[in-house]
């Protein structure tokens, strides 16, 4: 946590990180590597990837500048812990940044990956299962396009997670009541 706090302090004092379009991988004073998503620029917030050296290897996470989403996420998980299994883990909020689990897999590449029969079959089943589980528990899904990879990252085995913490808690609905 100390290293991430130090990195975020450095990021907060540098204007270039608040507008990360075109940021190349940057190594900060404390050997933390900062990069921006290649395909996915944060539309509603600044999104950066951090790679933090540790004694046992490397800890990777995503930081996002909209801490309001983290509050809504925590509220949703408190109301229904089922939400947590479908979205990135929320580690902490530090200096106005949300620190979350970094997900790996296919996002926009789902459009091409879905042409592979094995992936398509597994992905379709997992999507249907998720819709059933969530709707059965009165948890609406918002701002997702499964077949386009919008707000979803899928692994090659067809499993997936939603990217946005607020996907399962739209603010203008009475979900999770």
């Amino acid at each position: 946590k100390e290293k991430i706090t130090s990195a975020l302090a450095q990021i907060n004092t540098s204007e270039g990180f608040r507008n990360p379009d075109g940021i190349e991988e940057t190594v900060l004073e404390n050997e933390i590597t900062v990069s921006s998503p290649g395909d996915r620029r944060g539309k509603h917030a600044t999104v950066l990837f951090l790679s933090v050296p540790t004694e046992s290897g490397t800890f990777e996470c995503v930081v996002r500048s909209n801490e309001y989403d983290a509050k809504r996420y925590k509220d949703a998980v408190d109301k229904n812990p089922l939400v947590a299994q479908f979205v990135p883990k929320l580690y902490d909020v530090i200096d106005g940044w949300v620190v979350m689990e970094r997900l790996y897999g296919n996002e926009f590449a789902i459009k091409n990956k879905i042409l592979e029969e094995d992936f398509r079959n597994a992905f379709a089943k997992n999507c249907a299962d998720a819709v059933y589980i969530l709707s059965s528990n009165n948890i609406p899904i918002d701002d997702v396009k499964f077949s386009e990879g919008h707000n979803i990252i899928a692994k090659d085995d067809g499993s997936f997670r939603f990217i946005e913490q607020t996907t399962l808690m739209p603010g203008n609905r009475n979900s999770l009541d």
Side-chain angles (χ1 to χ4, degrees), residues 33-84:
T33 303
V34 179
S35 58
S36 61
D39 293 337
R40 168 180 259 289
R41 304 285 186 224
K43 295 181 289 183
H44 309 292
T46 299
V47 175
L48 299 169
F49 298 143
L50 299 183
S51 181
V52 183
T54 66
E55 291 176 11
S56 60
T58 303
F59 173 76
E60 294 186 327
C61 62
V62 173
V63 294
R64 181 182 167 106
S65 66
N66 190 346
E67 66 183 296
Y68 176 71
D69 288 351
K71 180 184 179 335
R72 293 176 60 211
Y73 169 84
K74 286 179 185 177
D75 291 346
V77 170
D78 287 347
K79 289 178 182 174
N80 192 330
L82 182 66
V83 168

Side-chain angles (χ1 to χ4, degrees), residues 4 11-12 18 27 33 41 50 53 64 76 79 83 89 92 98 100 110 115 133 135 137 140-141 151 155 163 171:
I4 292 173
I11 289 168
N12 282 337
R18 287 292 181 166
V27 179
T33 303
R41 304 285 186 224
L50 299 183
R64 181 182 167 106
K79 289 178 182 174
V83 168
K89 292 176 190 160
D92 207 345
V98 180
M100 301 179 297
I110 287 175
L115 299 174
I133 290 166
S135 62
N137 285 280
I141 302 169
N151 283 335
K155 293 185 178 181
I163 295 172

Side-chain angles (χ1 to χ4, degrees), residues 40 43-44 64 69-70 72-74 76-77 83-84 86-88 100 103 107 130-131 134-135 138-146 149-153 160-173 175-176:
R40 168 180 259 289
K43 295 181 289 183
H44 309 292
R64 181 182 167 106
D69 288 351
R72 293 176 60 211
Y73 169 84
K74 286 179 185 177
V77 170
V83 168
F86 290 97
V87 295
M100 301 179 297
L103 302 177
E107 185 178 355
V131 169
L134 293 166
S135 62
N138 195 31
I139 303 171
I141 302 169
D142 190 45
D143 195 23
V144 169
K145 293 181 184 169
F146 290 96
H150 179 72
N151 283 335
I152 289 179
I153 290 186
F160 74 91
R161 303 246 300 270
F162 299 107
I163 295 172
E164 297 287 338
Q165 292 177 323
T166 57
T167 293
L168 303 180
M169 61 216 74
N172 59 353
R173 298 186 191 171
S175 63
L176 304 172

Side-chain angles (χ1 to χ4, degrees), residues 81-141:
L82 182 66
V83 168
Q85 80 183 48
F86 290 97
V87 295
K89 292 176 190 160
L90 174 63
Y91 296 124
D92 207 345
V93 176
I94 302 171
D95 291 335
W97 292 87
V98 180
V99 182
M100 301 179 297
E101 173 186 14
R102 181 167 179 182
L103 302 177
Y104 288 93
N106 302 290
E107 185 178 355
F108 300 115
I110 287 175
K111 290 179 189 178
N112 295 324
K113 191 76 177 158
I114 212 162
L115 299 174
E116 299 172 17
E117 185 175 359
D118 289 343
F119 173 81
R120 181 176 55 248
N121 291 340
F123 183 62
K125 181 183 180 331
N126 289 325
C127 291
D129 289 348
V131 169
Y132 177 77
I133 290 166
L134 293 166
S135 62
S136 296
N137 285 280
N138 195 31
I139 303 171
I141 302 169

